[in-house]
Structures are given as C-alpha cells and as structure tokens.
Amino acid sequence: MAHAKEGETTAPEPASLHEGLLSRLRDFIVEGHLAPGSRLPERELCLQMSVSRTPMREALKVLAAEGLVELLPNRGARVSQFTETDVGNLFDVVAGLEFVAGRLACEKITDDGIAAIEQLHYQMYTHYVRHELSEYFKLNQKIHELLVKAADNSVLLSHYDSLNARIRRVRFSANLVPRDRWSDAMREHEAIVDALRRRAGEELGLLMFAHMRNKREAACEYLRGAADDAQWAEVPATG
C-alpha cells in the first residue's frame, strides 16, 4: 500500500468501500450474528471485514443513527435491545405508515413501477423456495421501500425510513419463529402485489397494515422465545 509523502494528505475512503462496509456490517447485525445488548467486537470485525478501525467506527456511527447499535462513551458499541413494548409500539406506527403508503401508491405509481415491484416479488419467491432467508429478506425490504417511495410523499418516506431502520433486525427475526410465519408472509405478499396490480388503493393499504401487524406479533413471539431461552440457560443444572 502506498504511503502519503510528507505534506500530502491521504485520500479519503472511496464512497463505494464505505457503503460496502456499511451494508456488510448492517447485514451482520440484522441477521442475528450478535445477540441484542451484546458488545460489538470491533477488532475482530475489522479483521473479518478487512478494514481499519477508522472506517469501522464511521460505519458504526451511521448504524447508531439508524438505531441498530448504541455507541458507548469510550467503550465501543453494542447491539440495540428493545423490549416487547418497544417493538409493539414501533410496528404499530410503521403499520400505519404502510397503510397510508399503500393507498397513495396506487394513485401515483407508474406502470413501470408496478412491473419493477412484480419482478422483485418473483425473485423473492425464488429465494423463499430455496430457503435463502438473507436474500429473501433483502428483496422483501426493497419491495416495501419501493411501495413507500411510490406514495411520493417526502414526510411519509422520512418517517418510514427512520422507524424501519430501527426495527430492521426485529423484522428479520420475525421469520424465525417456530410456526411457519415465513410462508404466511409470502402469501401476504402475493395478495399485496395483486392489489397493487389492480391499483386497489384501499385494499392495498389494509393488506399492508395487516401484514405489518402480523409481523409485529411474530417479532414479539420471537422476543418472548429468546427471553425464555435465556432464562432457562441461567438455571443451574440439577441431578
């Protein structure tokens, strides 16, 4: 690696590298590789992702702004931890935003916009059939984001992006409950795309609202299960 000569400044990290690190780190946390409330092993993550501490810390600042991690003064960062009440409240608001977005999207989306969402839906279904949850989830998020953007309301989009970033990890975990929530979600998406195709705004809004409320219940169910597992792990064995 070339070093800067005396009097020269080093070139900033290319934006593509920063975005790449941010995406990888976000996926690492969203997919549950670290438990809620656990410290992020900064040195190990730097080695794993082949970056220095400076870009790693910059990426953590972005994820802290999104609500995925919490920065600890002089102690690094930890994965954000939400109570069941927190999750319920956040999902309720996001469900309301998606209801409004669905109604507005049907009024404003172009035919090309609908075709793009349909294409993503078919790709997502392929990942569902292959049980590729990570790839499925990324496309799932993209579909929801495009539907909200199609509403063409900057205030709605700003609030949605902020809240959705905070619950991204919990949304992912909703697919991991013992019952087959993943299949239910796929069927709900089929109905959502069908309503969008027909530009049935009221129907689409209600479907998106119900979809998020169902995801809310699954996410809370997952949190309860994780809490029970942790409680049992703390009970000393007897015999």
Side-chain angles (χ1 to χ4, degrees), residues 174-192:
N175 297 296
L176 303 175
V177 292
R179 62 184 172 86
D180 195 3
R181 168 59 198 160
W182 193 1
S183 293
D184 292 341
M186 194 67 235
R187 284 190 290 271
E188 290 164 10
H189 265 268
E190 291 278 2
I192 285 170

Side-chain angles (χ1 to χ4, degrees), residues 68-216:
L68 274 178
V69 304
E70 299 174 25
L71 298 180
L72 306 171
N74 302 315
R75 291 184 293 142
R78 67 183 175 194
V79 179
S80 296
Q81 189 169 19
F82 298 111
T83 66
E84 187 174 335
T85 299
D86 293 333
V87 170
N89 290 340
L90 286 165
F91 267 94
D92 281 347
V93 176
V94 172
L97 293 175
E98 291 216 1
F99 169 74
V100 175
R103 295 192 63 176
L104 292 177
C106 284
E107 298 173 5
K108 301 180 179 182
I109 195 168
T110 64
D111 290 343
D112 287 343
I114 293 175
I117 289 174
E118 284 183 303
Q119 184 61 36
L120 288 177
H121 174 74
Y122 297 138
Q123 293 175 22
M124 184 178 73
Y125 181 75
T126 299
H127 292 305
Y128 163 74
V129 171
R130 295 174 179 172
H131 298 284
E132 297 168 342
L133 180 55
S134 178
E135 292 81 2
Y136 164 92
F137 182 74
K138 290 172 186 175
L139 289 177
N140 180 296
Q141 290 287 282
K142 184 65 175 177
I143 289 169
H144 281 270
E145 289 164 7
L146 287 178
L147 283 166
V148 174
K149 285 180 180 178
D152 193 26
N153 184 305
S154 60
V155 177
L156 173 63
L157 179 61
S158 175
H159 285 289
Y160 180 84
D161 283 346
S162 175
L163 292 173
N164 190 51
R166 293 180 66 189
I167 61 171
R168 194 186 304 270
R169 187 180 189 281
V170 188
R171 287 184 73 158
F172 181 89
S173 69
N175 297 296
L176 303 175
V177 292
R179 62 184 172 86
D180 195 3
R181 168 59 198 160
W182 193 1
S183 293
D184 292 341
M186 194 67 235
R187 284 190 290 271
E188 290 164 10
H189 265 268
E190 291 278 2
I192 285 170
V193 171
D194 178 63
L196 176 66
R197 238 184 248 119
R198 293 182 283 107
R199 295 180 182 271
E202 180 73 16
E203 180 182 346
L204 178 59
L206 290 171
L207 285 169
M208 291 176 69
F209 180 84
H211 176 64
M212 289 306 300
R213 289 302 299 270
N214 290 338
K215 191 173 286 289
R216 170 190 186 273

